[in-house]
Amino acid sequence: FFCPKFPAARCCQLAARRQLAAPPRMKQHLLLLVASLPSAHGALLSSRRPLPSSCRAAAARALLGFGEGSSPPQTVDEARQKFFAAYGKPYVAPDAQGFVNELLGSSQMAIVSPSFRYNAVFALGTEALCETFLAQRPEAERVAITDAIITALGMSPQQLKSDAAALRETAKAAGTEEALLGSKPMLEIKAYPKVPPLKYSYAFGAGMLTLMPLVEVKPSDDAIDRWVGALEIDPAKGKMLKRDFAFFESSQDKLAEMRQMMAEMQASAKRKEAAKLKEQAEAAAAEAAAEAAAEEAASEGASEGAKEPAA
């Protein structure tokens, strides 16, 4: 019954009709034939045409966390170009540039991998990293940089922040480590294919470390081993997470030291400015007093000169 006059989907419909009344062995042959047709997927249950490639691509982008009409940057340089286009300025503050480069580079190399899976942990980690390492910038600038980073990666800032907030709420509602690891978002990660293993990223690791304190777990190598085991993540990724944990801790310590140093420098500058203003005020007061004394002396002299002719 398969001939050039009928499109593949039509042949599938005919196959479906024939297999209903066919003997068991013939049914098996018909099903094998239908399964081999290029448009056979779903044709036995529906006569609708397959989705256009553009719709399938949009669905794939949505599953991977990419915004509508967006796609992941294929190179780190492309990610940087998209960042500055979204940010609207040709540069960022020097104390933020290194962080922007690091997060764009590590995330871009992760999301172009076939084994990358967007999830709420990645979203939470991206948000947490931006909150931590951009904390010294004014709020409006911090938000603008964060949104530009997310946009440059081909994702929606609104969706990513919504996913991160939802995961925070899930962790708070869970209350315990066991309950959180058994929640839907974490079980989805556990269900990922093991071959190839989940593509690890710095943002994903930061998300895991951010979740731990929300259920009263202190981040440590032992805690990482427990979570990696519970979620059935490749042990090699667990080693990467431990490495990033050590880096994250040292970076936070250095960041705290830098903030302390900047605070002391600002306090010193304010003290110097206050001392300078005080000196200026004292000088102005002395000058005003001298002018007042001179005016008073001149007035007294004029008054005495006016009295002498009358005598």
Side-chain angles (χ1 to χ4, degrees):
F1 59 84
F2 183 34
C3 69
K5 292 183 180 180
F6 292 95
R10 176 60 175 160
C11 291
C12 291
Q13 294 173 23
L14 292 174
R17 292 174 185 172
R18 292 196 178 187
Q19 69 97 14
L20 292 176
R25 180 174 294 276
M26 186 178 291
K27 286 184 181 181
Q28 294 177 5
H29 289 299
L30 286 171
L31 290 174
L32 288 173
L33 175 61
V34 169
S36 68
L37 295 177
S39 304
H41 181 69
L44 290 174
L45 301 177
S46 172
S47 60
R48 292 178 298 177
R49 295 181 179 179
L51 288 173
S53 59
S54 59
C55 294
R56 294 197 299 270
R61 286 195 300 269
L63 288 172
L64 292 174
F66 303 120
E68 184 177 354
S70 301
S71 59
Q74 297 305 302
T75 64
V76 175
D77 185 60
E78 181 184 349
R80 289 173 180 167
Q81 291 176 11
K82 288 185 175 182
F83 167 81
F84 286 112
Y87 187 51
K89 299 177 182 178
Y91 61 89
V92 295
D95 58 349
Q97 184 65 67
F99 166 73
V100 171
N101 290 341
E102 170 62 28
L103 187 57
L104 282 177
S106 62
S107 297
Q108 185 279 329
M109 288 187 285
I111 63 179
V112 295
S113 169
S115 59
F116 172 78
R117 298 290 185 275
Y118 172 84
N119 51 59
V121 175
F122 177 92
L124 178 62
T126 300
E127 184 180 67
L129 287 171
C130 291
E131 289 176 351
T132 300
F133 291 100
L134 297 175
Q136 73 277 14
R137 307 310 308 162
E139 182 178 359
E141 183 181 353
R142 182 170 66 251
V143 171
I145 293 175
T146 300
D147 288 354
I149 290 174
I150 299 170
T151 301
L153 296 174
M155 301 178 182
S156 164
Q158 293 76 17
Q159 185 62 52
L160 185 142
K161 292 177 181 180
S162 175
D163 293 340
L167 185 56
R168 287 182 187 272
E169 291 302 318
T170 297
K172 291 178 182 178
T176 65
E177 177 180 0
E178 293 76 11
L180 175 60
L181 293 175
S183 64
K184 182 180 178 181
M186 307 306 281
L187 290 178
E188 289 176 352
I189 295 174
K190 184 177 180 179
Y192 286 156
K194 302 302 183 284
V195 180
L198 172 69
K199 180 65 178 179
Y200 176 81
S201 66
Y202 185 33
F204 179 83
M208 295 276 280
L209 296 173
T210 302
L211 277 176
M212 289 180 181
L214 297 181
V215 288
E216 299 182 355
V217 173
K218 183 179 180 181
S220 66
D221 286 354
D222 290 341
I224 290 172
D225 286 337
R226 287 199 310 273
W227 285 43
V228 167
L231 298 178
E232 297 181 5
I233 296 174
D234 181 11
K237 312 303 180 185
K239 292 181 180 179
M240 294 180 183
L241 178 52
K242 291 179 181 179
R243 177 202 63 197
D244 285 345
F245 169 54
F247 174 75
F248 188 66
E249 273 199 323
S250 64
S251 297
Q252 283 189 311
D253 291 342
K254 292 177 181 178
L255 192 60
E257 292 175 0
M258 184 182 71
R259 288 174 183 166
Q260 180 65 27
M261 182 180 68
M262 291 180 65
E264 292 175 356
M265 290 174 63
Q266 290 175 351
S268 176
K270 288 180 180 180
R271 287 194 296 269
K272 290 180 180 180
E273 182 66 19
K276 182 178 179 181
L277 291 174
K278 182 180 179 181
E279 290 177 1
Q280 291 176 347
E282 291 175 349
E287 184 178 352
E291 290 179 355
E295 290 178 359
E296 184 178 356
S299 177
E300 289 178 356
S303 176
E304 291 177 359
K307 290 179 180 178
E308 289 179 359

